[in-house]
Amino acid sequence: MALHLPKPRSKSVPQKTTGLDGMKVKVAAAAAAGIAKAQETSSGLAGLTSTVSVKELRKEIGNEGLRQAAIDAGGTPPSDRTLRRWAQQDRIPHAVLSELAQRRAAIERLGGVNEVAKKIGRSPSSVRKYVSGKTNELRNDAKSKLKAAKAQVIMHKAGVLNPDGTPKVATIRVTGRVHVRNGDEAGYDYRTRTLDFGNSDVPFSAEESQAIAAALANDDQARVVAILERHATLDYPENKGFDVYGDQFGFHFDAIDKLEVTWH
């Protein structure tokens, strides 16, 4: 008699993140990559990313802002022709320059250097060093405050907040390759499943919805996966009772093929 063994679990290197309850968890890199792809292709996730197109960068910081980013990156200021080509291709072929341009645009969206300095409790010179790349990360609470402020602007622009600033609730449908551990190695269940959280007995809460929107806005795809796994484990009818963080039980995505989100 033939043995019907489960397919082996993906061996991609896991990514570390922080779950909704503050616990440190690991998620599959392929699952996080699936979230990143969905941010580019799913209409419900349009605009929920900290990275904007080159065309949008030119609108927000202008050609001079892009040229200054090039100087800060240690390069030569690009010509008008080069800037037009970047916009047409929607690509800046220099990683450091691209990062500094995105950073400069994010600060402009928040009102400029002086306004950001007030919001995060740092001096304007500290913010300028961050914009120019002389400082890669702001320290301690300033980093968290800047991250939260950036996410708030992105969420508002993407239309996932109500007029009063409260979060809309997410209705989510996700398809991916999963494994569910039911107690021991033999209890693993591997398959591709579609989870329709909108038809679940326990839909996503406002807190979970806001956490997912903020994670998407900060391009923290691993945290999005962790939130989805936690909800699937604790609240989805088929999986209720598993401990997502335990060694003996749990629901996990090995890969995510499709993520659909509507906000209401």
Side-chain angles (χ1 to χ4, degrees):
M1 181 180 294
L3 294 176
H4 297 283
L5 299 175
K7 294 180 180 179
R9 181 183 176 185
S10 169
K11 295 182 179 179
S12 61
V13 178
Q15 293 186 8
K16 296 179 181 179
T17 187
T18 303
L20 191 62
D21 49 13
M23 293 186 67
K24 301 295 183 181
V25 296
K26 294 179 180 179
V27 302
I35 299 295
K37 184 176 180 180
Q39 286 176 276
E40 299 176 357
T41 58
S42 175
S43 59
L45 303 182
L48 274 174
T49 173
S50 65
T51 303
V52 301
S53 68
V54 179
K55 186 180 292 185
E56 186 66 24
L57 283 175
R58 290 183 76 189
K59 289 180 181 178
E60 293 180 338
I61 63 176
N63 289 347
E64 290 310 309
L66 283 167
R67 289 190 175 103
Q68 186 57 53
I71 293 171
D72 292 337
T76 302
S79 65
D80 287 345
R81 181 179 179 181
T82 296
L83 291 173
R84 286 195 297 269
R85 185 175 71 252
W86 289 355
Q88 290 169 354
Q89 297 175 348
D90 192 21
R91 175 176 170 269
I92 297 177
H94 309 284
V96 175
L97 194 164
S98 180
E99 163 61 24
L100 293 181
Q102 293 286 349
R103 190 178 293 188
R104 183 174 291 272
I107 296 301
E108 285 302 312
R109 273 181 235 124
L110 289 171
V113 169
N114 291 334
E115 187 62 29
V116 170
K118 293 177 185 177
K119 289 180 179 179
I120 67 175
R122 289 293 185 271
S123 66
S125 63
S126 294
V127 179
R128 289 191 189 95
K129 287 179 181 178
Y130 171 74
V131 171
S132 66
K134 293 178 180 178
T135 301
N136 279 329
E137 292 287 356
L138 293 167
R139 293 182 180 179
N140 303 325
D141 61 325
K143 179 180 177 180
S144 298
K145 288 178 181 178
L146 179 60
K147 188 175 180 180
K150 287 164 61 179
Q152 196 73 11
V153 169
I154 292 168
M155 289 190 291
H156 178 76
K157 189 175 180 180
V160 301
L161 298 179
N162 294 308
D164 62 356
T166 57
K168 294 181 179 179
V169 176
T171 299
I172 296 174
R173 181 183 173 92
V174 57
T175 299
R177 179 167 165 74
V178 307
H179 72 272
V180 181
R181 191 173 185 180
N182 295 317
D184 55 36
E185 190 68 28
Y188 267 122
D189 172 20
Y190 297 87
R191 53 178 159 155
T192 296
R193 290 176 58 184
T194 296
L195 281 70
D196 188 351
F197 294 111
N199 291 324
S200 169
D201 292 338
V202 183
F204 270 75
S205 66
E207 179 189 10
E208 289 173 309
S209 300
Q210 184 176 31
I212 278 186
L216 288 164
N218 286 314
D219 292 322
D220 189 350
Q221 293 90 3
R223 179 169 166 81
V224 175
V225 176
I227 295 170
L228 292 173
E229 289 182 345
R230 179 181 182 276
H231 189 92
T233 296
L234 300 177
D235 297 319
Y236 200 66
E238 289 184 41
N239 310 322
K240 252 184 175 180
F242 296 147
D243 175 7
V244 72
Y245 302 124
D247 292 329
Q248 298 301 313
F249 301 91
F251 178 98
H252 305 276
F253 285 103
D254 282 341
I256 289 178
D257 303 319
K258 191 173 184 180
L259 176 65
E260 301 170 345
V261 184
T262 56
W263 306 86
H264 57 88

